[in-house]
Amino acid sequence: MKQADIHIFTNEDKNRICKFHATFLKQFSDMKNIIKIATIIFCGVAFSGCEDFLSRNPISAASPETFWKSKEDADLWLAGTYDALQTTLRTGVLDWGEARSDNFVSNGVGTMQVKVTTNTLVAGDADLVVLTSWKNIYTTIARCNFGLKYTAKMIENNVDGNSETYKDYMGQYYGLRALMYFYATRVWGRVPIVGNDPIESLSQNIYFERSPIDSCKKVILNDLDSCISNISPTNRKYYFSLGAAYALKTDVHMWFKEYDLAEQSIQKLEALNYYKWVLNSAEWKKIFTEPDGSTETIFSLYFEQLQDNGGSGIAQRLGSSSNTSTFSIAPDLFQILVNRNRNGNIDTRWQLCFDTITYNSTQSTLQDKCGKYYPWDDKLVRTGESRTGGFVYEPVNMCNAKIPIYRYADIELLKAEIYYRRGEYQKALNIVNTARMRVGYYVLAKLADFTNPDSGVLDCIMEERRIEFLGEGKRWFDLIEVSDVSYDYFHKIMDPVMAARSGSVSYTGENEGRILFPIESTAFAANPLLRGDQNLPYSE
């Protein structure tokens, strides 16, 4: 998909949706009730993101009855839903999926990153709202619910003769809603399931308690089945697709230890014949700089900084041209890559992600920038140096980096874990070796290398995933996914890490509950059904 094919959600579009929401709110005469609805964090508040919506008067009439009347309206709402998804995952991909892992250490000014990397999260801490609040997730869910209800009516009425297009849009809404519930379940465990109907009336239930994990899983898988039944089989990269549905379904089944079902989803994804390994290092780099043209891209989040509130959060978290980054790459991980590039060996992921000119001068393994998402320019002038060459970093809040949600290597390395679970160790290692060879690393993993294959092969898979998906929001979830009910693998990796970090809180004893994130305090003030149900040992 080319950039021209992306429906950019403009400020004019945002104002139009705000008008829709303002008209909706005007029907409620009791301002207390308006505020009451507006502050129900968990129910999504589809109107969030519109500035001063409580005091805004509608410029033109807009309501569910008048808005969903053309394909333009349907396109606009779909774009607005992706806009909510971008807001949710702008930094959420890394904050929820990697920041607390062994991949990062804190960097720069501020205290947020220190609290994240030392496991000292607190529910009511203003520094941590971006991690502890689920408002943006439920905003996206709310927009999906509106989209599902009214797009179905457009199909029923055959508006503009575009029923097949609208059916595809419904598939995307189901898929995006499943993705949001899956993120929420992995981050907080039990979460509220708000149903299928958008909140449009004070007569509707606006309070929901946290649902059991099995209920959350059922909703996610049901949504994915509905997605697969409706979505177009088009191979697209920046919109949710059939391939994305199978990738997400694989991920869900792996999370719940359903390896046979995960394999079935992988087989369906592979049968699409859309995705395959890239062939060399240059193509590997383009997964991140030009994802729309990569055979490994399944689903990436598109960002354009002029329209998307400053673009993606990659610059803020991993390195920019304007500010210090929030996190540095853990020295032990960087050293693994350094070691892979010694004795005549090459793993080009080192050179494609890090400034090796600086490293060769300083020999420092503490890297405060990762250039994975940025092109390298051999002619770039280096400040204070006669040498040239460097990554073309972008300023914070002007970042166009596209964030991969799923790609082929992710699914194939999950397949390697399935083989490992079955004792088919060499098959698992063959996939690891394929991942290595395409980036020039020909030190191949062999079963004979492991005195204890039961642990060694899993470590090998996990190290490869750690390197391959650095900066993609996978590592924290990976450590939990491969663990048993006692979090055995998580403790194996994270307990020594936390013991070495000054001022950190371990994940042992009652603090094992800290593997989940705290629920942000305002959720309890807004919703009486949540009170007394914080994730322990956090307080409300």
Side-chain angles (χ1 to χ4, degrees):
M1 181 179 296
K2 303 300 182 185
Q3 181 171 339
D5 297 323
I6 304 298
H7 183 109
I8 303 297
F9 193 56
T10 66
N11 290 329
E12 181 181 353
D13 291 335
K14 293 177 183 179
N15 288 335
R16 187 176 174 201
I17 285 187
C18 281
K19 294 173 192 176
F20 169 86
H21 293 148
T23 303
F24 163 68
L25 288 172
K26 192 177 181 183
Q27 67 183 290
F28 302 114
S29 58
D30 184 344
M31 182 57 69
K32 291 182 180 179
N33 285 333
I34 295 175
I35 296 173
K36 183 178 181 182
I37 287 183
T39 56
I40 302 301
I41 299 302
F42 68 84
C43 76
V45 195
F47 351 102
S48 69
C50 303
E51 297 178 1
D52 302 322
F53 69 86
L54 286 178
S55 60
R56 185 189 297 271
N57 290 318
I59 299 173
S60 61
S63 69
E65 289 70 31
T66 61
F67 182 81
W68 306 87
K69 292 300 183 182
S70 68
K71 184 175 180 297
E72 180 186 2
D73 290 345
D75 291 347
L76 177 58
W77 196 267
L78 184 66
T81 303
Y82 279 98
D83 183 71
L85 180 70
Q86 289 168 323
T87 299
T88 301
L89 297 183
R90 180 178 182 270
T91 61
V93 164
L94 294 179
D95 291 345
W96 291 323
E98 192 167 4
R100 300 175 72 192
S101 76
D102 56 333
N103 278 6
F104 294 156
V105 294
S106 64
N107 185 60
V109 298
T111 58
M112 182 276 280
Q113 53 267 50
V114 175
K115 296 169 185 176
V116 169
T117 55
T118 57
N119 189 29
T120 51
L121 305 184
V122 177
D125 192 331
D127 277 349
L128 301 172
V129 170
V130 67
L131 288 91
T132 60
S133 173
W134 53 31
K135 177 176 74 80
N136 290 331
I137 282 182
Y138 281 98
T139 296
T140 308
I141 290 171
R143 289 191 180 174
C144 289
N145 285 348
F146 269 99
L148 285 167
K149 177 176 179 177
Y150 288 102
T151 305
K153 290 186 176 182
M154 295 180 81
I155 293 174
E156 182 181 344
N157 296 324
N158 195 26
V159 174
D160 293 343
N162 282 297
S163 293
E164 284 303 309
T165 298
Y166 302 145
K167 182 179 178 184
D168 174 50
Y169 289 3
M170 290 189 69
Q172 293 182 58
Y173 290 130
Y174 280 121
L176 295 176
R177 189 169 70 178
L179 180 64
M180 291 295 91
Y181 276 126
F182 188 45
Y183 261 102
T185 299
R186 290 180 295 175
V187 172
W188 293 285
R190 296 179 298 107
V191 294
I193 301 298
V194 300
N196 296 321
D197 295 328
I199 305 297
E200 299 178 275
S201 167
L202 287 176
S203 64
Q204 291 177 257
N205 178 33
I206 58 173
Y207 297 124
F208 300 85
E209 62 186 358
R210 297 174 72 187
S211 297
I213 293 293
D214 284 347
S215 297
C216 299
K217 172 189 170 186
K218 183 178 179 180
V219 166
I220 294 166
L221 290 175
N222 285 346
D223 272 356
L224 284 172
D225 287 340
S226 296
C227 169
I228 291 166
S229 297
N230 285 278
I231 203 162
S232 164
T234 304
N235 180 17
R236 55 197 175 205
K237 309 296 187 179
Y238 294 130
Y239 292 98
F240 205 86
S241 65
L242 184 57
Y246 288 135
L248 176 53
K249 199 167 189 182
T250 299
D251 210 4
V252 172
H253 286 309
M254 292 297 290
W255 186 261
F256 290 105
K257 321 298 183 191
E258 297 169 337
Y259 304 116
D260 290 343
L261 294 174
E263 185 178 42
Q264 291 175 24
S265 294
I266 293 173
Q267 290 169 346
K268 291 176 180 178
L269 182 142
E270 292 173 335
L272 295 174
N273 291 319
Y274 292 152
Y275 316 107
K276 60 183 179 180
W277 294 101
V278 296
L279 299 177
N280 53 54
S281 299
E283 289 185 5
W284 187 87
K285 182 66 174 180
K286 288 182 179 179
I287 297 171
F288 312 102
T289 58
E290 302 175 31
D292 53 323
S294 175
T295 61
E296 283 200 23
T297 302
I298 298 175
F299 180 39
S300 283
L301 273 186
Y302 182 89
F303 283 93
E304 205 286 318
Q305 56 92 7
L306 291 177
Q307 299 294 343
D308 297 321
N309 298 317
S312 76
I314 293 298
Q316 182 179 358
R317 294 293 187 255
L318 294 184
S320 75
S321 61
S322 61
N323 298 71
T324 57
S325 56
T326 309
F327 301 105
S328 293
I329 307 306
D332 77 294
L333 174 54
F334 187 77
Q335 188 65 56
I336 291 171
L337 278 167
V338 171
N339 293 342
R340 285 191 173 199
N341 285 270
R342 288 178 171 166
N343 303 317
N345 299 313
I346 296 174
D347 186 329
T348 56
R349 289 173 293 193
W350 185 46
Q351 293 89 348
L352 295 173
C353 293
F354 297 102
D355 184 347
T356 55
I357 294 176
T358 296
Y359 170 76
N360 289 332
S361 298
T362 66
Q363 298 293 299
S364 173
T365 60
L366 183 61
Q367 298 293 308
D368 64 346
K369 286 187 177 182
C370 177
K372 186 172 191 174
Y373 292 92
Y374 303 102
W376 178 273
D377 181 357
D378 286 328
K379 298 180 180 180
L380 188 73
V381 176
R382 301 172 67 89
T383 303
E385 298 185 39
S386 59
R387 299 172 299 179
T388 60
F391 291 106
V392 185
Y393 288 102
E394 296 172 325
V396 169
N397 295 325
M398 295 181 66
C399 181
N400 296 299
K402 317 305 189 275
I403 301 177
I405 305 302
Y406 286 111
R407 55 189 181 94
Y408 188 65
D410 187 6
I411 304 307
E412 288 299 294
L413 286 167
L414 288 176
K415 186 201 288 186
E417 184 191 339
I418 294 172
Y419 287 145
Y420 160 77
R421 299 291 176 187
R422 295 175 179 164
E424 299 179 82
Y425 298 137
Q426 191 57 57
K427 281 188 175 181
L429 295 176
N430 290 344
I431 295 175
V432 170
N433 290 335
T434 300
R436 291 178 175 184
M437 288 187 291
R438 81 204 205 287
V439 290
Y441 190 58
Y442 286 92
V443 178
L444 304 184
K446 300 181 291 293
L447 189 56
D449 296 339
F450 304 102
T451 56
N452 181 3
D454 193 51
S455 61
V457 173
L458 181 59
D459 287 340
C460 182
I461 295 169
M462 291 296 286
E463 180 178 287
E464 205 62 35
R465 286 187 64 87
R466 189 183 183 197
I467 293 170
E468 178 70 25
F469 304 116
L470 171 65
E472 297 182 46
K474 301 287 183 184
R475 179 64 172 178
W476 180 259
F477 295 145
D478 279 354
L479 293 175
I480 299 170
E481 182 268 308
V482 299
S483 297
D484 63 15
V485 293
S486 67
Y487 295 107
D488 58 342
Y489 199 89
F490 179 92
H491 286 298
K492 173 183 173 179
I493 300 299
M494 291 303 299
D495 286 359
V497 170
M498 302 311 292
R501 289 181 177 174
S502 177
S504 69
V505 175
S506 73
Y507 291 101
T508 58
E510 70 171 8
N511 286 319
E512 187 174 79
R514 288 178 172 269
I515 293 174
L516 294 174
F517 287 63
I519 300 168
E520 208 270 323
S521 292
T522 58
F524 299 97
N527 179 5
L529 297 185
L530 291 179
R531 294 168 196 163
D533 199 11
Q534 172 68 282
N535 286 329
L536 298 176
Y538 304 111
S539 61
E540 296 176 10

